[in-house]
Amino acid sequence: MDDLKIINGRVVTFQDGPVRGSHMDFPLVLENANIIIDDGYITAIDSDRPAKKTIDARGKLVIPGFIDSHTHLVFAGSREDEFEKRLKGISYQEIAREGGGILSTVRATRNADRNTLIQLAKKRLDFALSWGTTTVEIKSGYGLSTKDELKMLEVIDELKKTSHQTIVPTFLGAHEFPPDRGRDEYMNIILNEMLPEIARRKLARFIDVFCEDGVYTKEESKKILLKGRDFGLFPKIHADELASSGGSEIAEDVGAISCDHLSYPSEEGIDAMKRAGTVAVLLPATTLFLSGKSAPARKFIDEDIPVAIASDFNPGSSPVLAMPLVMSLACLLYRITPREALCAGTINAAYAVREEKRGSIEVGKKADILVCDCENENEIPYWFGFNPVRYVVKDGKVI
Ligand code: NIG
Ligand code: FE
């Protein structure tokens, strides 16, 4: 007998990702559908057969679990003091130049022990789960020394073993330059000290850099990402967040799986992403929180570049974990439809983190499924700030 069935749902899902262009607006919709689950996988759709456990969706919405493909979820401390400064007109960059910003979280994270970081992160993951997030990418980048970057990645590794969600680890040693090292000296530490050790211990799947004016140049970013690739890590880029800094332009050179942020991509950058099949991971909560410029989501869709959305959860630029709210912000800031936002937070996000076995409701896929307390998919971003999630099924288990 199968383990679980979800019956009578309005199942809304995309199939055959990554989904591009006008296809992002047209999910498959199955009314009164049944999903059969066994051993963690979806084994049949719309067949009725006995199962050990049944969830009756009563005609309500059933969608894939959300995939949050860009977070900085492991850190200590908080930065509400900066929030107030920014409300008074001091910019994110000015705060960073004065030693606040990322470096203030680096100080707090260096001072926290493993256990404290694990406990803080677990609480955040549980909260995200209650909002339907079943897969989470987590970056290092608040250590900026070999010892502290490894500590962060070990914490992420522990979360991978002990949390409900699928955890995807990313090495972001190039998040900032540490104040206690010279520029060349730190580049050397990343390339010759951190990377070999991380690869040897298999502590990360992705490598990321903050390619931005005042942080890592295009050339430095390229060097780090190519070396990471030599060590078997897949490249991601924090690209063109605050200015057109060239991040997206190296997408093809390094074979970037995703470019993230993208408020100011150049035409050259968009072409490079298109040629490389790079996913555009857009972060609308960050745009709102920093009063920044919205990424040109419609342009990416028109160019057939797969668009994903993510929370960017972090203490400086986006203290939000709720993916339904991120969907609302994506619709409002980018003028994309609720269906496009759903596509961006599920199947396309799966491709941004190379979890292609997740992100949709299809036979043969992992059973990461949400049963919601609403009638249709458009209600998710419409009920702004409302949590629609009633049941979370992760790897076939009701959480
Ligand atoms: O994605 N842009 C760089 N990194 C983060 C912010 C991190 C922080 O402010 O602590 C981001 O927005
Ligand atoms: Fe980020």
Side-chain angles (χ1 to χ4, degrees), residues 86-116:
R86 285 194 299 97
L87 294 173
K88 289 184 178 138
I90 306 174
S91 75
Y92 182 76
Q93 292 96 314
E94 280 170 275
I95 291 168
R97 278 195 292 274
E98 284 160 15
I102 292 172
L103 289 181
S104 94
T105 302
V106 169
R107 287 189 290 274
T109 305
R110 282 181 176 180
N111 283 331
D113 60 26
R114 269 181 193 66
N115 208 32
T116 306

Side-chain angles (χ1 to χ4, degrees), residues 288-308:
L288 179 71
F289 204 72
L290 295 186
S291 309
K293 181 168 176 270
S294 292
R298 285 252 69 89
K299 166 127 180 114
F300 286 116
I301 294 173
D302 290 345
E303 294 283 345
D304 275 343
I305 291 173
V307 170

Side-chain angles (χ1 to χ4, degrees), residues 150 193-204 231 233:
L150 285 171
E193 215 176 279
M194 294 182 183
L195 267 172
E197 187 62 9
I198 290 162
R200 188 183 70 76
R201 294 176 55 194
K202 295 192 171 36
L203 286 171
F231 279 106
L233 305 181

Side-chain angles (χ1 to χ4, degrees), residues 111 139 162 165 207-208 220 222 305 316 335 349 386 399:
N111 283 331
K139 301 173 197 296
T162 54
Q165 286 104 328
I207 178 158
D208 195 347
E220 286 164 337
K222 197 166 152 180
I305 291 173
R335 300 285 145 186
F386 167 78
I399 310 277

Side-chain angles (χ1 to χ4, degrees), residues 70-72 139 172 175 208 238 241 260-261 283 286 312-314 317:
H70 180 141
T71 85
H72 307 253
K139 301 173 197 296
L172 177 57
H175 197 191
D208 195 347
H238 275 71
E241 174 185 358
D260 303 37
H261 286 288
L283 310 165
T286 308
D312 193 19
F313 177 72
N314 75 77
S317 68

